[in-house]
Amino acid sequence: YGLLHHMASYDGLKKRLGNLRPFILTRSFFSGSQRYAGVWTGDNMANWDHLKVAQPMLLSLSVSGIPHVGSDVGGFFGNPDSELLTRWYQIGAFHPFFRAHSHIETNRREPWLFG
């Protein structure tokens, strides 16, 4: 289902956008999806365990043929402390897809707010 959804989205956006390349981001994928969409690991938590598991997840996806991958830097749910956010930004700089994204009910987390 994931691949067919990406193909249909890509074709529809290509027709609408003309010569511009569509950008599709997903967390549902299948073999071949790398031709149509980037992948992120889904909604994660702002804690050290999720920072730790994000790296092997992204490396596994990359070596399996899906190179445009990333996680929600800083965690999607919860509020990271300054140390966790700093470390996540440092490793996130090396992710193929950097996405600082969080839930609407979390605190703002722009780096300059942490001093």
Side-chain angles (χ1 to χ4, degrees):
Y1 175 79
L3 175 60
L4 297 176
H5 183 77
H6 304 149
M7 290 171 66
S9 298
Y10 185 89
D11 291 342
L13 285 170
K14 192 69 177 161
K15 288 177 185 171
R16 181 177 183 182
L17 298 174
N19 291 331
L20 297 175
R21 183 172 51 173
F23 177 75
I24 301 168
L25 184 62
T26 186
R27 60 183 171 191
S28 169
F29 56 93
F30 192 74
S31 180
S33 292
Q34 73 277 4
R35 291 177 286 179
Y36 304 100
V39 173
W40 102 100
T41 58
D43 299 337
N44 54 8
M45 298 291 298
N47 63 45
W48 290 97
D49 290 335
H50 281 236
L51 172 61
K52 182 180 178 180
V53 299
Q55 312 330 303
M57 289 171 65
L58 298 179
L59 290 170
S60 296
L61 287 166
S62 293
V63 300
S64 66
I66 302 176
H68 193 92
V69 295
S71 64
D72 290 335
V73 172
F76 183 76
F77 294 111
N79 298 303
D81 60 23
S82 60
E83 177 71 15
L84 176 59
L85 188 65
T86 299
R87 298 296 177 215
W88 214 314
Y89 266 75
Q90 287 173 335
I91 193 68
F94 297 100
H95 291 176
F97 176 66
F98 185 100
R99 174 179 160 117
H101 176 64
S102 63
H103 191 267
I104 194 168
E105 294 176 1
T106 59
N107 295 336
R108 291 182 54 192
R109 54 179 69 184
E110 289 86 351
W112 56 85
L113 296 175
F114 287 81

